[in-house]
Amino acid sequence: MSEFKSSNKLSVDIDQMLRGFCYTATTPSIYRVNDCLRNTSEKAYDPMIVSIGPLHRGKPNLEAMDYHKMRYLKQLLGNPFPVEIYVNTIRNVEQTARNFYAQQEIALVDADQFAKMLLLDGIFIIEFLREYSDVDGGGIQRDGNPIFGSEYIVSHLLHDLMLFENQIPMFVVEALFQLSNHDNNTEFKDLIWPLTKCSKKDVANALLPNDASHLLGLVHSVKCFSFALLCSHEKGWKEEKNINSATDLKEAGIVFRKKAAGKDCSWLDITFKNRTLYIPELMISDETESLFKNMIAYEFYLPGSSPKYVTDYVFFLHCLMSSTKDVEVLRRCGVISNWMGGDARVYNVIVRLGTHAFNSRYFSYGGVFDSINEHSGRKWNKWIAVLRRHHLNNPWTFLSLVAAAVLLSLTMVQTVFAVLSFRKPT
């Protein structure tokens, strides 16, 4: 009898729980980075001086920048536009903006606080990037400027704006930009070049999607634009693929060359031709890991069929670099530009980037992998690789091999002369 009551009580509890559970189908664009990505380098996803959006809002170490958010808003409202216009614009998109985030904790932020956050953060992004362009163009002096007087602050702000968890919807930024824009010839994308590490001309020439989720997604589109055009003409590669390390490929006769920069050359464009692997130069600095990790996180949450160019690129690097010796091989040929110190530091960065960075469903470098493996799989190239690995890996074994070859040659010559002298008629 007691078991029946217990079972009945559990049924009632579950029924009440389901009645109170509200499910609506949404397609969010921002998540908290899951543990499998975050555990390799947690700090890569956390802002250093400014919070954008709700996920890091209210952290004590980020509150100092709230002063500059207010300063930029007041500076903007000096124009003849009352704040009500901006507030009403945010109110009209508030619910759509909430659906942009996957976390339930967003529901705990009340409407006024959420709208205020979107307004302050959106205006901060716009005015900071505008001011960056003005400073770069000589319109504003750095000296005495609260933000641009310090390269340290500017560098950290550019870093924080590229974090996957530190975003607000792009449609909010665009709406605020249109309200505050008095130059009809200027688009918001004209301001994002400092974040892309590309030239203004390259950004202007990129055909960007109108449905970019957020600032990181927009920058991702710029950085992958030219490579996406190349990949659109090639077939997809679905099967799992792998290649040997740079050291092993070098022993198999493959040569590494830095790919010459050009207007049609993308930093992602790796090609293999005539036993030569051409790779654009990659500069590894203290900023590299964070930028790559956040672009990988962005691609991680894209729909399954979406191309994942940066993840595929990192997977390629991870295959090539299985030890510090591989880093040395690529550095010596100009493929890797090391701004971090020793090769071990670069290797550790690649290991952390490559952890859980699996090649995508339609792998961007499937054709390159096939060509490399076909070359390495030929018997002659295998023999050459074994010879180099076991007999030519240091000067002493090489000299021993040469000495043995010379001795063998002399023995053969001596044998020939002996035979000839024996057959010579007396």
Side-chain angles (χ1 to χ4, degrees), residues 221-290:
S221 297
V222 171
K223 294 183 74 66
C224 298
F225 171 70
S226 58
F227 185 64
L229 292 180
L230 294 173
C231 288
S232 66
H233 302 298
E234 299 182 4
K235 67 178 180 178
W237 303 82
K238 296 183 181 181
E239 63 269 24
E240 291 289 329
K241 296 179 180 293
N242 207 334
I243 55 173
N244 291 331
S245 69
T247 303
D248 291 338
L249 295 180
K250 183 181 178 182
E251 290 178 349
I254 290 178
V255 178
F256 296 90
R257 290 281 185 270
K258 180 176 73 172
K259 195 163 193 175
K263 66 176 184 178
D264 297 324
C265 178
S266 165
W267 64 284
L268 296 167
D269 186 21
I270 301 173
T271 54
F272 182 74
K273 185 178 181 180
N274 297 331
R275 75 182 185 86
T276 302
L277 189 58
Y278 296 95
I279 306 176
E281 181 181 11
L282 173 64
M283 186 183 75
I284 303 287
S285 67
D286 292 333
E287 302 172 356
T288 303
E289 182 174 357
S290 177

Side-chain angles (χ1 to χ4, degrees), residues 331-348:
R331 176 176 53 78
R332 287 184 178 277
C333 64
V335 170
I336 294 293
S337 177
N338 183 2
W339 288 51
M340 296 186 66
D343 292 337
R345 294 191 64 187
V346 172
Y347 170 68
N348 289 333

Side-chain angles (χ1 to χ4, degrees), residues 303-324:
S305 60
S306 300
K308 297 175 174 58
Y309 302 122
V310 178
T311 305
D312 290 347
Y313 176 77
V314 167
F315 180 79
F316 200 134
L317 294 181
H318 194 239
C319 290
L320 287 179
M321 290 183 257
S322 62
S323 71
T324 55

